[in-house]
Amino acid sequence: MATESRSRRLSITSDSSISSSPERGADDDAEDSVVDGNDSQSSLSVSLREMELDTIEYERRRRQSPICRLPAELLIAVFSKLSSPGQVKNCMLVCKSWATNSVDLLWHRPSTSSWKHLLNVIHSVRKTNGFFAYQDLVRRLNLGSLKEEVSDGTLQPLSICKRIERLTLPGCKMLTDLSVADVIEGNRALLAVDVSELDQITDRSLFAVANNCYKLQGLNITSCKRVTDMSLVAVAKNCRRVKRLKFNDCPQLTDFSILAFADNCHDILEIDLYKCINVTDSSITAILQRSRQLRELRLAQCSRITDEAFLSLHQADRFEGLRILDLTDCNELNNPGLQRIVQAAPRLRNLVLAKCRNISDAGVLAITKLGKNLHFLHLGHCASITDYGVSHLVRYCNRIRYIDFSCCTNLTDESVSLLATLPRLKRIGLVKCGNITDRSIRALAAPKRSGFGLGYHPNNLERLHLSYCTHLTIQGIRTLLINCPQLTHLSLTGVHPFLREDLLAFCRDAPDEFNEHQRDVFCVFSGEGVEALRKWLQENYMSPIAADLESFEDTFPNTLGRHVSTFPPETMQGHHTIVPFPHHQFPFGAALQSMLPQPYDAAPPPSPDPELFDPDLHLGDTGGDVAQSIPPPPPPLIPTHTAPTLTAADDAIDEDLDDGNETMGGL
């Protein structure tokens, strides 16, 4: 019984399994064997085909030149070294591989320098069947060279370029929001926008920037007088990565927009507010306190800026990164404000205080704390400055390269003689300094002592502004030209000895906007004109003149009486030639050798003695012709600091700033 029931259960199970499976035909086994055989043959045939293709590819590549087998990265690196777009274009025409790896270099910044080139760019980006999507390759678009011709109809076809990083449209005054906003719309990659001098641009374009350009780093709306605070506040809130702002000549802007940038954008490196006459102290204080990386601050003609903008800073605030400060024509700035500026920004390199008429010797003494960091100083129209302030400035700030004391009418030959000792001085402005004479010119023409040895090298002056210095003579300027081989610009407007036909022949033309009187007294020599004037004076004044010798000995007494222009030719070979002179061979004798300008690298602190000049610094006795009395030292502080020393890293940073930037002229 048990056996039968077990057999019955097995048969039921077998029947159920058979019924639940799909029915198989009689030749199923045969088909399976055929399929197995085909699978094996198929996989073998695929492998053979791949081998054949690999062999063909290998043979093709073997027939190519070695450079065609380079990786794409190396090809791009090679193409990037080409010097002209024409060479890159020729590479594109070699083969598909070269075209693929070079097209981006050619279209990264397409040439739009002429109308023909611009039309070619527009035609290419509008192609629908092009080999490349050219509209996606354009990264930088600059139409500044065609600013008189570009209109909305020109720019609108380029609105399909949605990967632009830098949009530069300076001075394209026919452009309006219609095309500019269309180009900006949808352009999420924009880093810099320059719409300076676009009179018809309004808030619409700036709102487009705020809503699309979240990566924006630079914005230039110079002279866009229809842009208001409202759109700029939107930009400040949405574009928090902004680093460079140029709002020059926008008198409609107020503290409302500037404070918005101070509150939201903490990475600002540069801000220009020239002629923003409604900006007040609170904005400047906020920008300084919240933009700790600020490097350049320009506030020229911001007439509402006072000392309070800087005195409101916390006592512990230090702005080590600030390098350039322009306060031109900030009439309300006084010495206390300047002292706080120097204290808070001890590494200023360029300081412009032109037309800050309240600055006096006390302010100059504060500036001396900048020491060797200071390279550029403009104190034009600061008429209260005297020889006293200049003497301390030269003692401490001996790396000055450009200095301007135009219209500082209290300065005399003593100041210029000291300024002439600055070893790196290249440019000096002395316009309307009516007290200076040929004695100053000969001091400027004297060779520079090199280091602590007896070597000298020619003067490295490049530009000299002496207009309306009416006491100068042809003999003095002759000495200057002969001994300053690098001089390329010399202004002598209003200096009557040079308003002669034979000398004006070398002068450049007066600007068109000058009136008749200005044209009559205009006298500026530049470039080839300086060289022609130098040659003419050498040929027509071959030997020293009595007045020359007498004036020179007033400047350098106790010498052998030799004229400064009689330096041996070896001293004038090249700009950096240094020729040592033993005492018995020195052309002016040992006495003059010891009295030539000395370096001030290790100058002691100034003495509170009321005597103006240290005997070691004095270039020579003026004899009986000193009609100007030296003003007594003013009551403010006498600096007790020592000149700061800089490391090699500091020098490297300074040189880098000189090469750049400087910038920082454009976005």
Side-chain angles (χ1 to χ4, degrees):
M1 285 293 292
T3 305
E4 290 179 2
S5 61
R6 191 180 299 114
S7 300
R8 192 180 296 114
R9 285 197 300 270
L10 289 174
S11 64
I12 292 172
T13 305
S14 177
D15 291 341
S16 64
S17 65
I18 292 173
S19 63
S20 63
S21 300
E23 296 184 357
R24 295 168 63 88
D27 56 348
D28 283 350
D29 293 339
E31 289 179 358
D32 289 344
S33 65
V34 172
V35 171
D36 292 341
N38 286 343
D39 285 345
S40 175
Q41 185 178 357
S42 175
S43 62
L44 180 61
S45 62
V46 170
S47 299
L48 290 173
R49 247 186 270 114
E50 289 178 351
M51 292 177 63
E52 290 175 1
L53 291 175
D54 289 343
T55 303
I56 293 172
E57 178 66 17
Y58 173 75
E59 291 295 332
R60 186 185 69 80
R61 293 182 64 84
R62 192 167 65 88
R63 289 193 298 269
Q64 291 177 338
S65 62
I67 195 171
C68 292
R69 298 198 294 269
L70 287 175
E73 294 82 359
L74 290 181
L75 280 176
I76 294 173
V78 171
F79 295 148
S80 66
K81 302 297 183 183
L82 298 177
S83 58
S84 69
Q87 294 175 341
V88 179
K89 179 183 176 182
N90 292 336
C91 291
M92 283 186 64
L93 301 177
V94 173
C95 64
K96 184 184 294 186
S97 173
W98 281 35
T100 303
N101 291 309
S102 60
V103 65
D104 190 57
L105 295 173
L106 192 62
W107 277 86
H108 178 81
R109 182 171 52 190
S111 174
T112 55
S113 57
S114 68
W115 189 250
K116 178 182 177 181
H117 290 162
L118 179 57
L119 291 179
N120 288 337
V121 171
I122 295 174
H123 177 71
S124 298
V125 300
R126 298 182 69 182
K127 279 185 177 180
T128 57
N129 58 346
F131 190 79
F132 298 104
Y134 295 107
Q135 68 274 13
D136 293 333
L137 299 176
V138 178
R139 297 289 189 275
R140 299 187 180 185
L141 184 61
N142 188 340
L143 303 182
S145 57
L146 298 173
K147 58 186 178 183
E148 302 296 336
E149 305 171 57
V150 172
S151 64
D152 286 336
T154 310
L155 186 59
Q156 274 186 323
L158 297 171
S159 61
I160 63 175
C161 302
K162 295 303 181 184
R163 299 183 66 184
I164 297 175
E165 295 177 354
R166 296 180 182 271
L167 179 63
T168 309
L169 307 169
C172 300
K173 296 189 177 182
M174 289 192 288
L175 294 179
T176 67
D177 292 326
L178 182 64
S179 59
V180 175
D182 283 350
V183 171
I184 295 173
E185 197 72 39
N187 241 315
R188 307 287 179 175
L190 266 173
L191 299 176
V193 176
D194 184 351
V195 290
S196 55
E197 300 180 21
L198 270 62
D199 299 335
Q200 303 182 62
I201 290 295
T202 68
D203 286 340
R204 177 187 168 187
S205 295
L206 271 295
F207 277 121
V209 170
N211 295 329
N212 293 274
C213 309
Y214 302 117
K215 298 180 180 179
L216 189 72
Q217 295 183 12
L219 178 62
N220 187 347
I221 59 167
T222 296
S223 299
C224 295
K225 294 184 171 61
R226 299 178 68 183
V227 174
T228 68
D229 287 328
M230 298 303 296
S231 59
L232 288 179
V233 170
V235 172
K237 291 181 178 179
N238 293 343
C239 308
R240 295 173 179 260
R241 301 181 184 179
V242 166
K243 294 183 178 180
R244 292 179 171 86
L245 297 170
K246 292 181 180 292
F247 298 158
N248 299 320
D249 196 19
C250 292
Q252 74 278 11
L253 300 184
T254 67
D255 291 337
F256 188 50
S257 55
I258 306 303
L259 288 172
F261 280 102
D263 292 336
N264 296 282
C265 306
H266 298 160
D267 296 328
I268 295 177
L269 298 177
E270 171 188 355
I271 183 166
D272 292 8
L273 299 173
Y274 166 71
K275 274 191 177 180
C276 291
I277 56 177
N278 289 317
V279 173
T280 65
D281 295 335
S282 59
S283 293
I284 306 308
T285 303
I287 285 287
L288 286 169
Q289 288 181 331
R290 298 166 194 172
S291 302
R292 291 294 176 170
Q293 301 181 45
L294 190 66
R295 297 181 67 176
E296 301 182 21
L297 178 60
R298 293 181 172 88
L299 304 172
Q301 296 190 29
C302 292
S303 54
R304 299 181 67 180
I305 302 298
T306 69
D307 288 347
E308 195 61 29
F310 308 103
L311 296 177
S312 298
L313 297 171
H314 300 307
Q315 193 63 30
D317 282 343
R318 291 292 181 274
F319 311 106
E320 299 288 343
L322 191 60
R323 293 291 188 273
I324 298 175
L325 180 60
D326 186 351
L327 295 168
T328 299
D329 206 11
C330 292
N331 289 318
E332 300 300 319
L333 184 70
N334 296 287
N335 293 325
L338 180 56
Q339 291 168 0
R340 183 68 186 97
I341 290 170
V342 173
Q343 181 185 5
R347 301 195 64 186
L348 275 173
R349 189 192 63 166
N350 290 18
L351 182 58
V352 183
L353 299 169
K355 299 184 180 181
C356 294
R357 293 175 173 83
N358 296 329
I359 301 300
S360 64
D361 284 341
V364 177
L365 293 177
I367 293 172
T368 62
K369 293 183 179 180
L370 296 175
K372 295 182 179 180
N373 293 307
L374 188 63
H375 289 179
F376 181 109
L377 180 61
H378 198 317
L379 291 168
H381 295 267
C382 297
S384 299
I385 295 175
T386 68
D387 293 338
Y388 178 81
V390 175
S391 67
H392 290 289
L393 182 69
V394 172
R395 184 188 296 268
Y396 282 100
C397 303
N398 60 0
R399 288 194 179 183
I400 292 177
R401 301 178 185 182
Y402 178 103
I403 195 164
D404 197 312
F405 283 109
S406 298
C407 300
C408 293
T409 53
N410 287 325
L411 299 187
T412 68
D413 287 333
E414 300 293 343
S415 288
V416 182
S417 298
L418 287 175
L419 291 171
T421 66
L422 293 170
R424 301 190 180 187
L425 187 64
K426 292 185 177 182
R427 303 181 182 185
I428 183 169
L430 298 168
V431 174
K432 292 187 178 180
C433 291
N435 293 328
I436 69 172
T437 66
D438 281 354
R439 177 173 174 238
S440 295
I441 302 306
R442 284 169 174 74
L444 290 171
K448 302 290 186 181
R449 182 185 293 273
S450 177
F452 297 99
L454 299 178
Y456 291 83
H457 58 80
N459 201 295
N460 54 6
L461 270 180
E462 295 177 357
R463 299 175 68 88
L464 187 57
H465 303 271
L466 298 169
S467 297
Y468 299 102
C469 295
T470 55
H471 294 155
L472 303 182
T473 66
I474 293 179
Q475 292 85 354
I477 298 301
R478 171 183 178 272
T479 298
L480 176 78
L481 289 172
I482 293 175
N483 294 289
C484 297
Q486 298 185 50
L487 194 68
T488 58
H489 182 93
L490 177 63
S491 64
L492 294 167
T493 297
V495 181
H496 291 287
F498 285 85
L499 301 180
R500 338 180 331 187
E501 292 298 329
D502 51 350
L503 298 181
L504 290 176
F506 311 119
C507 172
R508 74 184 190 190
D509 295 334
D512 295 335
E513 62 270 19
F514 275 21
N515 58 37
E516 183 177 357
H517 171 70
Q518 290 173 323
R519 290 176 178 275
D520 289 342
V521 297
F522 182 80
C523 183
V524 176
F525 304 93
S526 184
E528 295 180 357
V530 174
E531 184 60 35
L533 179 64
R534 179 185 290 116
K535 182 178 179 181
W536 189 92
L537 291 176
Q538 283 179 314
E539 292 176 351
N540 288 272
Y541 294 89
M542 295 298 293
S543 58
I545 300 173
D548 250 359
L549 291 174
E550 180 181 353
S551 179
F552 180 73
E553 291 208 7
D554 285 343
T555 305
F556 298 112
N558 302 321
T559 69
L560 295 181
R562 299 288 300 277
H563 189 259
V564 71
S565 65
T566 58
F567 276 157
E570 307 92 89
T571 62
M572 299 302 168
Q573 295 175 0
H575 295 167
H576 304 289
T577 304
I578 298 174
V579 182
F581 290 108
H583 284 281
H584 63 281
Q585 295 180 356
F586 191 74
F588 304 129
L592 176 59
Q593 184 176 0
S594 63
M595 301 184 67
L596 280 172
Q598 304 293 324
Y600 292 107
D601 288 337
S607 169
D609 192 299
E611 283 296 322
L612 179 59
F613 298 107
D614 190 306
D616 293 334
L617 301 178
H618 202 193
L619 293 180
D621 189 7
T622 55
D625 62 346
V626 181
Q628 303 90 349
S629 60
I630 303 301
L637 68 136
I638 299 295
T640 57
H641 58 281
T642 56
T645 57
L646 299 182
T647 63
D650 294 327
D651 288 336
I653 291 174
D654 289 340
E655 294 302 326
D656 178 61
L657 288 171
D658 290 338
D659 295 338
N661 11 61
E662 347 39 122
T663 170
M664 240 302 311
L667 291 175

